[in-house]
């Protein structure tokens, strides 16, 4: 086995030093009757066969030439340099920076990540990452419940969050117990979240998507003001922070906590992950934050250095009183995100968000020009939107798939019982879609309905 | 511009924001366009750009390459961090997870367009079942702690289904446990109850007996435990817990010690998480991403999170999301998929025989270090250990006032990452060594000789040890100042 550096002579020498006759002897502390009776002795595969098998599996997935879907997994054009940096052994094969004197690379990179996330979100402090955007919403809600010390047992959560995020939130809060989730419906006309009246005094937090799952840009300022007036926290979930190159930051609109999913900009959205959970908060909530946080400090020779800090929030110190159980996070994905945003800079991020928006609008306009195609909802959108097709949306998507185009995600998949979603498709475009791709797509859709397939 | 101090190849690198100058970019996008703002209310638009650095690609790459050189990593040298299983991460795993067939795939493509990924997940679940003896596995959880949350949620669901949810809330946790265990218990609305490890470092049935009542939900045990000792009474304890209507959760963080030797399901374990980033060689990434699949018995399987992957009679694969008793989703899409590909590759390359060999060599290495060091540092408990060994600074501190932390910092001067220190909490000044199977005899001997030299130095020149490290890029970091001053992001200097 190529990863085991033991020669037979080494093994003999080591056994003699230990004072046991054979390797089996090392396992004598395991009672005989607890040992596996017939251990699996199947052989392994040499690298050439491994490759052939895994390449074969990978080839059985369909790769589309053009993707016009986001639905929480946006594809951005991540420069090769990001992969190169992230692939460096020093970043990839280190662990949590427990020994800061030999981990300054990771620590400083996290400090830069925290700066970038707090800048994008317009809030004071970011942590070093959470698992994904969905559990980040759950963590934000738990944070809000802690802030109110259990005196506010209700959370208001928008129906417009990503369906998977809603399910993760439900799992997390149900497990935690003693919390009631009031789901806020979307207005059938605009697609924006409707507050069922003034926020009540038992509400710990109000959480909405920005934009929401239908692509609609929620009025964060209004939601945040409503939450604040009742002493509740405003939580804003950003499915693709690339949009913050154009859209106002959650913090600027009054959010107390912003969370998000960074895998699109990190380049790991393929098959949906690894994800990258983002979280930024107002300074007053930093001691309630889940996860690792890096801080700047001084070192014994007088220089500046970085360490994991405020660890008294965390499980390895506080155990059952910790703010979360999270230990391993998504550090390497956070690094990819940091490198990409450092390459983009402020103008690159704005250009990327603008191009995504413009491509999406070109697609949307073109499709709306086809008789019978209409928007599902009327609220303002960024680069994602839902359209209702005159008939056979499934057939249309299959036709486009045959032409190498991943034509969005059918909304019926998430809620088959809603008749108004039966022929609706959630579409998106990013800077990766060329004008030609979009023109070609529109033409194919036109043909599909003209020919009455 | 801050002053840069370069020491040979170690570059003192300022925060990237300080390298910025206006007008540069490291991105090649199509030409800028004006924003198509039709229907976009002005109030929704960002006022002023976020503070991001403005740099060309070469400057960004150079910055991060310089930063990387300040890290110790497995590929720099031995990283015997106890409980973390810092083994070598095979290159072929990375190559397979980077195949475009996987990475260029949208997670919401139709099942028939994801057959390769679904088959991979189905097969990986099968391999994990085979090595653990469990009935079913979910690959959804992101990391060990997320796996703990998930496994405990299965138990909670089973108790709820029995109608005992209001009463059964106690989860027993030995005092050697990882901090994530009690934290995961609380996140499931359970109450952790700490129980004491016996004098020989293992949990005894006596410690459990007083808690065998109708409030008992579960016991949560790491096996082998964090002292590296096999919990030889676990099977008996599991019978007691089951007899009282409770469940057994096993923390699989130390699974590298027993692969091919013990199947947790055979011990009466109801559910367990695997740490793919430990046992199955996926890179730790400076803190993540990992993956924490959860295995369970047939009884708990109906509660597993969705989606589940199913093989149809025709041999194709499809996703199931509508299961009446599922705890729900714990992760969007398919967990940390790219990590799953790596672990799958590793398991296939090893085969069952290879995985057993991995465990044997991991245990051999740890016992070799123990044999060579036991007269230099006291072993915490004098019984057999498997894949790791915990020493204590008890005697050293008494004699020289040099502590575990000092020895750890001095190790840095010789190119070793120190072991885990001050954990488990029940060992004073714990020094927890897990070499893993991928270290050679020579490297282990170098490590041991270095520790011996440091202990000798503690007697002859203690100041040298207590003021370490001396050869790292930075000296000891002031953690108190960090917590007090709370500088958690870069801000521009005030003009």
């Amino acid at each position: 086995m190529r990863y085991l550096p033991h020669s037979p002579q080494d093994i003999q020498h080591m056994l003699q030093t230990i004072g046991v006759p054979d390797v089996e002897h090392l396992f004598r502390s395991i009672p005989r009757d607890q040992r596996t009776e017939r251990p699996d002795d199947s052989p392994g595969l040499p690298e050439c066969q491994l490759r052939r098998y895994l390449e074969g599996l990978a080839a059985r997935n369909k790769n589309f030439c053009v993707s016009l879907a986001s639905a929480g997994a946006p594809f951005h054009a991540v420069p090769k340099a990001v992969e190169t940096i992230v692939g460096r052994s020093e970043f990839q094969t280190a662990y949590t920076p427990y020994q800061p004197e030999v981990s300054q690379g990771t620590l400083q990179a996290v400090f830069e990540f925290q700066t970038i996330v707090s800048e994008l979100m317009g809030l004071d402090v970011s942590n070093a990452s959470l698992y994904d955007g969905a559990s980040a919403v759950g963590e934000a809600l738990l944070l809000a419940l802690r802030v109110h010390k259990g005196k506010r047992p209700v959370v208001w959560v928008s129906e417009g969050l990503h369906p998977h995020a809603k399910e993760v939130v439900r799992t997390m809060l149900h497990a935690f117990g003693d919390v009631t989730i009031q789901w806020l419906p979307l207005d059938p006309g605009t697609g924006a979240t409707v507050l069922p009246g003034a926020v009540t005094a038992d509400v710990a937090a109000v959480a909405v998507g920005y934009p929401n799952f239908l692509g609609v840009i929620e009025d964060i300022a209004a939601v945040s003001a409503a939450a604040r007036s009742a002493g509740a926290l405003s939580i804003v979930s950003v499915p693709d922070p690339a949009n913050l190159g154009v859209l106002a930051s959650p913090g600027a609109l009054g959010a107390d906590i912003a969370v998000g999913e960074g895998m699109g900009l990190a380049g790991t959205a393929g098959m949906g992950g690894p994800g990258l959970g983002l979280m930024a908060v107002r300074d007053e909530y930093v001691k309630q934050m889940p996860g690792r946080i890096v801080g700047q400090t001084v070192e014994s020779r007088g220089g500046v250095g970085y360490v994991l800090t405020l660890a008294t929030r965390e499980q390895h110190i506080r155990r059952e009183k910790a703010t979360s159980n999270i230990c391993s996070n998504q550090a390497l994905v956070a690094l990819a995100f940091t490198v990409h945003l450092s390459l983009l800079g402020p103008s690159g991020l704005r250009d990327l968000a603008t191009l995504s928006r413009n491509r999406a609008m070109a697609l949307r306009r073109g499709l709306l020009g086809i008789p019978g195609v209409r928007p599902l909802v009327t609220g303002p959108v960024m680069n994602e939107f839902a359209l209702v097709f005159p008939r056979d949306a499934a057939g249309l998507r299959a036709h486009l798939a045959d032409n190498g185009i991943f034509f969005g995600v059918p909304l019926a998949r998430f809620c088959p019982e809603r008749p108004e979603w039966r022929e609706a498709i959630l579409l998106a475009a990013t800077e990766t879609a060329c004008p030609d791709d979009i023109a070609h797509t529109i033409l194919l859709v036109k043909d599909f309905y003209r020919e009455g397939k | 511009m801050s002053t840069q101090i370069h020491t040979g190849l170690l570059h003192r690198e300022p925060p990237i924001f300080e390298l910025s100058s206006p007008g540069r970019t490291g991105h090649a996008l199509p030409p800028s366009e004006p924003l198509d703002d039709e229907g976009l209310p002005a109030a929704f638009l960002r006022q002023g750009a976020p503070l991001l650095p403005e740099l060309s690609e070469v400057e960004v790459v150079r910055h991060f390459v310089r930063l990387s050189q300040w890290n110790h990593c497995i590929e720099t040298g031995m990283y015997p961090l106890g409980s973390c299983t810092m083994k070598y991460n095979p290159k072929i795993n990375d190559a397979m997870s980077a195949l475009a067939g996987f990475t260029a795939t949208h997670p919401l493509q139709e099942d028939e367009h994801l057959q390769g990924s679904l088959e991979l997940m189905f097969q990986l679940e099968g391999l994990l079942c085979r090595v653990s003896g469990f009935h079913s596995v979910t690959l959804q959880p992101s990391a060990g702690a997320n796996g703990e949350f998930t496994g405990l949620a299965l138990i909670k669901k089973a108790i709820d289904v029995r109608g005992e949810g209001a009463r059964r809330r106690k989860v027993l946790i030995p005092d050697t446990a990882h901090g994530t265990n009690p934290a995961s218990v609380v996140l499931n609305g359970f109450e952790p109850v700490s129980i004491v490890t016996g004098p020989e470092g293992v949990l005894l049935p006596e410690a459990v007996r007083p808690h065998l009542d109708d409030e008992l939900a579960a016991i949560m045990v790491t096996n082998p435990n964090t002292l590296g000792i096999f919990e030889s009474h676990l099977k008996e304890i599991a019978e007691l817990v089951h007899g009282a209507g409770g469940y057994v959760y096993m923390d699989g963080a130390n699974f590298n010690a027993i692969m091919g030797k013990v199947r947790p399901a055979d011990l009466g374990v109801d559910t367990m998480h695997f740490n793919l980033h430990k046992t199955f060689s996926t890179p730790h990434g400076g803190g993540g991403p990992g993956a924490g699949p959860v295995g369970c018995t047939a009884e708990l399987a109906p509660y597993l999170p969705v989606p589940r992957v199913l093989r149809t009679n025709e041999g194709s694969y499809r996703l199931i999301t509508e299961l009446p008793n599922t705890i729900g989703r714990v992760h969007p899409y398919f967990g940390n998929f790219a990590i799953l590909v790596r672990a799958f590759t590793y398991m296939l390359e090893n085969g069952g025989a290879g995985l057993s060999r991995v465990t044997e060599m991991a245990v051999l290495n740890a016992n070799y270090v123990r044999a060579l060091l036991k007269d230099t540092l006291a072993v915490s408990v004098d019984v057999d250990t498997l894949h790791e060994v915990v020493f204590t600074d008890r005697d050293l501190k008494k004699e020289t006032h040099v502590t575990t932390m000092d020895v750890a910092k001095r190790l840095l001067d010789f190119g070793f990452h120190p072991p885990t220190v001050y954990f488990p909490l029940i060992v004073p000044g714990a020094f927890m060594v897990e070499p893993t199977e991928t270290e050679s005899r020579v490297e282990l001997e170098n490590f041991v000789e270095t520790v011996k030299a440091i202990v000798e130095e503690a007697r002859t020149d203690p100041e040298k040890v207590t003021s370490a490290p001396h050869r790292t890029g930075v000296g000891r970091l002031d953690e108190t100042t960090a917590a007090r001053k709370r500088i958690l992001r870069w801000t521009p200097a005030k003009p």
Side-chain angles (χ1 to χ4, degrees):
Chain A
M1 184 59 196
R2 59 175 161 171
Y3 310 127
L4 298 175
H6 303 73
S7 70
Q9 295 83 346
D10 287 334
I11 294 173
Q12 274 319 310
H13 173 87
M14 292 164 81
L15 289 170
Q16 271 168 22
T17 307
I18 296 166
V20 293
D22 53 29
V23 168
E24 264 313 299
H25 223 79
L26 296 170
F27 294 89
R28 69 194 161 190
S29 60
I30 306 176
R32 237 12 276 179
D33 66 334
Q34 298 182 25
R35 292 284 299 270
T36 305
E37 277 173 28
R38 278 173 289 118
D40 174 10
D41 59 357
S42 60
L45 295 178
E47 181 164 327
C48 54
Q49 284 182 34
L50 265 181
R51 269 184 186 279
R52 190 163 10 150
Y53 177 53
L54 277 137
E55 284 167 358
L57 280 183
R60 291 181 50 211
N61 287 338
K62 184 171 170 74
N63 280 171
F64 290 92
C65 307
V66 179
S67 176
L68 297 173
S70 174
F75 278 68
H76 289 291
V78 180
K80 187 72 185 168
V82 172
E83 192 186 315
T84 305
I85 295 298
V86 165
R88 282 189 70 89
S89 305
E90 296 90 335
F91 286 126
Q92 193 174 3
T93 78
Y95 200 19
T96 305
Y98 294 121
Q99 295 290 341
E101 296 86 356
V102 290
S103 311
Q104 286 298 301
T106 293
L107 286 160
Q108 184 173 328
V110 173
F111 185 76
E112 294 172 0
F113 169 78
Q114 289 174 183
T115 306
I116 289 172
V117 173
S118 53
E119 276 293 318
L120 290 178
M121 298 298 199
L123 287 162
D124 303 315
V125 190
S126 156
N127 70 7
S129 77
L130 296 169
Y131 302 135
D132 53 73
S135 67
V137 181
E139 289 279 13
L141 290 166
L142 291 173
L143 192 166
L145 291 166
R146 284 195 297 277
V147 166
H148 294 294
K149 300 187 170 74
K151 288 179 191 137
R152 289 172 174 241
V154 179
V155 291
W156 283 12
V157 183
S158 167
E159 284 278 8
L161 291 184
H162 189 291
H164 292 179
K166 287 193 287 183
E167 292 179 49
V168 171
V169 163
R170 202 179 281 131
T171 308
M172 289 174 74
L173 294 195
H174 176 76
F176 188 72
D178 303 328
V179 190
T180 305
I181 306 176
Q182 177 161 351
W183 295 101
L184 309 176
L186 298 185
D187 181 277
T190 64
T193 301
V194 182
L195 298 185
V199 180
T200 47
D202 57 352
V203 175
V206 181
V208 294
Y210 179 57
N212 69 24
F213 186 63
L214 298 180
V216 173
I217 309 171
E218 302 273 6
D219 189 347
I220 301 301
V223 173
S224 297
R228 174 155 305 177
S229 68
L233 273 64
S234 159
I235 297 171
V236 171
S237 166
V238 181
D240 183 2
N243 286 328
L244 299 177
V246 163
L247 295 180
S249 72
L253 297 174
D256 298 297
I257 305 175
V259 292
E261 175 53 73
M263 68 179 168
L265 284 172
T268 60
M271 275 308 284
L276 173 59
L278 309 175
M279 178 182 274
V281 300
R282 294 196 187 283
D283 191 55
E284 57 199 287
Y285 304 123
V286 63
K287 290 198 169 162
Q288 291 298 339
M289 277 258 255
R292 314 252 187 236
I293 298 177
V294 168
Q296 183 188 308
T297 187
V298 290
E299 46 110 2
S300 56
R301 293 168 219 157
V304 166
Y306 303 89
V307 289
L308 293 173
T309 194
L310 304 175
T312 51
R313 299 165 299 111
E314 290 188 73
Q315 47 76 26
H316 59 285
I317 310 278
R318 287 298 290 278
R319 303 177 78 82
E320 69 268 21
K321 295 194 179 68
T323 54
S324 169
N325 66 341
I326 192 170
C327 182
S328 284
N329 55 26
Q330 304 293 106
L332 201 66
V333 192
L335 175 69
F337 183 89
T338 307
V339 178
H340 190 190
L341 278 147
S342 300
L343 289 165
L344 283 169
S347 65
L349 179 67
R350 192 186 55 239
D351 286 349
L352 184 151
T354 302
L355 283 167
S356 300
R357 154 84 186 173
N358 290 4
R359 299 286 184 269
M361 286 303 103
L363 176 67
R364 187 170 183 269
R365 265 187 219 111
L367 293 171
L368 285 174
I370 298 170
V373 179
R374 59 182 172 84
L376 177 71
V377 289
T378 60
V381 297
M382 179 61 197
N383 72 325
E384 187 162 29
F385 53 89
L387 299 183
V388 181
F389 289 82
R391 63 188 156 75
D392 194 18
L396 171 66
R397 289 186 67 255
H399 177 61
L400 287 166
D402 290 343
N403 285 276
I405 298 164
F406 185 52
F407 193 62
V409 177
L411 280 175
R413 177 170 173 162
F414 296 100
C415 204
E417 62 272 19
R418 292 179 80 149
E420 71 274 24
W421 282 18
R422 199 176 302 136
E423 305 295 347
I425 301 176
L426 184 63
L427 292 154
T430 66
E431 77 285 3
T432 59
C434 311
D436 286 353
D437 298 334
I438 287 164
H440 180 55
T441 302
I442 293 166
L443 211 64
L444 285 168
V445 176
K446 256 184 204 155
D447 284 350
F448 180 83
Y449 287 113
R450 187 183 304 144
E451 290 166 18
K453 278 179 189 163
Chain B
M1 177 65 75
S2 68
T3 317
Q4 297 186 31
I5 303 156
H6 301 293
T7 309
L9 274 175
L10 269 185
H11 300 268
R12 176 55 59 96
E13 186 71 3
I16 194 162
F17 309 95
E18 292 176 15
L19 302 170
S20 173
S21 50
R24 285 181 289 186
T25 180
H27 207 76
L29 288 163
S32 296
E33 296 173 6
L35 180 72
D36 177 343
D37 60 359
E38 188 189 311
L40 260 186
F44 290 1
L45 300 182
R46 181 179 273 271
Q47 307 298 313
L51 191 157
L52 296 172
E54 295 181 76
L55 296 163
S56 64
E57 178 169 316
V58 59
E59 293 160 301
V60 171
V61 167
R62 199 169 272 169
H63 171 76
F64 286 103
V65 169
R66 286 176 174 183
L67 286 190
S68 77
Q69 291 171 343
W70 288 72
N71 270 4
H72 181 97
C73 69
I74 296 174
E75 288 169 23
T76 318
M78 190 167 156
Y79 210 133
L81 210 46
S83 216
C84 297
T85 317
M86 300 297 287
K87 64 171 73 177
Y88 174 71
N89 310 137
K91 300 298 151 194
I92 184 68
N93 301 354
D94 297 334
M96 295 301 95
S97 85
L99 289 171
F102 298 127
T103 60
T105 307
H106 193 282
L108 294 174
Q109 286 177 205
E110 274 68 16
D111 290 357
E112 65 259 37
H113 293 156
L114 289 178
Q115 285 296 302
S117 292
L118 298 186
E119 178 171 344
L120 186 147
M121 290 190 281
F122 187 87
Q123 299 294 353
L124 176 57
E125 287 179 6
L127 291 179
L128 290 171
C129 283
R130 180 146 60 155
V131 74
S132 62
F134 288 114
H135 176 274
S136 301
V137 164
T138 174
L139 304 172
Q140 292 288 319
S142 305
N146 200 214
E148 292 173 20
F149 169 82
T150 304
L152 288 168
L154 303 179
I155 292 173
K156 183 175 169 128
K157 182 83 185 185
I159 290 172
D160 282 346
V161 166
R162 275 169 23 196
E164 299 178 345
R167 190 173 67 223
R168 285 194 186 271
R169 300 184 56 160
K170 246 176 14 185
V171 178
L172 309 181
I173 301 180
D175 49 9
T176 49
H178 297 112
T180 49
N181 289 182
S184 299
V185 163
V186 170
L187 287 176
N188 268 289
F190 286 138
E191 290 156 17
V193 177
S194 184
I195 53 174
V196 180
T197 301
E200 299 226 303
V202 294
L203 200 57
L204 298 171
E206 289 84 276
V208 175
R209 275 210 183 83
H211 303 284
L212 297 172
D213 52 33
D214 62 3
E215 292 176 9
L216 180 65
I219 186 169
M220 204 173 183
V221 181
T222 306
N223 190 23
N225 64 27
T226 57
L227 295 167
I229 303 171
F230 188 77
E231 291 284 3
S232 51
H233 300 284
L234 180 57
K235 198 172 177 194
E236 185 186 345
I237 289 168
E239 283 162 17
L240 292 172
V241 169
H242 288 157
Y247 293 87
V248 179
Y249 185 98
M250 183 171 138
D251 181 328
N254 294 338
F255 198 59
N256 208 46
I258 55 172
M259 267 191 301
K261 303 295 171 191
V262 174
R263 300 192 313 168
D266 296 340
L267 306 179
V269 172
D270 295 289
T271 176
M272 175 189 109
H273 76 264
F274 304 83
N275 296 81
L276 298 189
H277 49 295
K278 296 179 181 177
T279 315
F280 300 102
S281 83
T282 74
H284 284 65
V294 168
C296 71
T297 57
E299 184 198 346
L300 295 181
Y303 313 128
L304 283 169
V306 286
R308 307 278 308 132
V309 185
L310 207 79
R311 179 155 61 186
T312 66
N313 292 335
E314 297 77 48
S316 64
Y317 298 86
R318 65 190 185 94
L319 290 170
I320 306 291
T321 53
E322 303 298 317
L323 289 172
N325 287 314
T326 174
I327 59 165
R329 233 176 246 275
V330 298
H331 195 288
Y333 315 115
F334 311 107
N336 282 338
F337 184 78
I339 304 301
L340 305 180
V341 181
R342 289 179 170 90
F344 184 59
T345 308
Y346 179 76
M347 293 187 84
L348 288 180
E349 177 164 12
N350 276 284
L355 292 177
S356 302
R357 196 64 181 161
V358 159
T359 284
E360 289 170 358
M361 294 301 105
V363 172
L364 177 69
N365 276 1
N367 277 280
Y368 189 54
V369 168
R370 177 178 169 158
L372 295 179
L373 263 186
K374 67 177 190 305
D375 297 327
T376 305
L377 283 175
V379 175
S380 60
V381 187
D382 189 20
V383 298
D384 283 358
T385 45
L386 292 170
H387 70 302
E388 65 192 1
V389 54
V390 182
F391 299 94
T392 164
D393 67 2
R394 198 177 47 218
D395 301 343
L396 180 71
K397 201 170 153 188
K398 207 177 293 169
E399 184 195 335
T400 66
H401 299 288
V402 168
T403 66
T404 282
M405 186 57 83
D406 301 323
V407 176
K409 295 300 181 193
R410 187 68 175 131
L411 269 171
L412 299 173
D413 285 335
F414 298 95
F416 291 101
H417 195 285
T420 294
V421 292
Y422 299 95
F423 181 83
L425 306 175
I426 58 166
V427 176
F431 185 84
M432 183 194 209
V433 185
E434 182 184 7
T436 83
E437 72 280 3
T438 58
E439 294 306 323
S440 69
R441 174 187 153 192
V442 172
E443 195 62 18
L444 298 175
E445 288 166 355
N446 287 341
F447 173 76
V448 165
E449 289 312 312
T450 305
V451 174
K452 284 184 175 173
I454 293 169
V455 168
E456 187 49 34
E457 198 175 40
R459 299 191 179 102
T460 55
D461 187 3
E463 166 67 18
K464 189 89 182 174
V465 185
T466 55
S467 57
H470 305 284
R471 299 178 193 158
T472 49
V474 292
R476 279 200 206 189
L477 279 302
D478 183 347
E479 296 188 6
T480 315
T481 298
R484 206 183 59 237
K485 287 206 165 168
R486 270 211 259 153
I487 304 172
L488 307 178
R489 56 155 291 171
W490 184 81
T491 37
K494 301 227 165 50

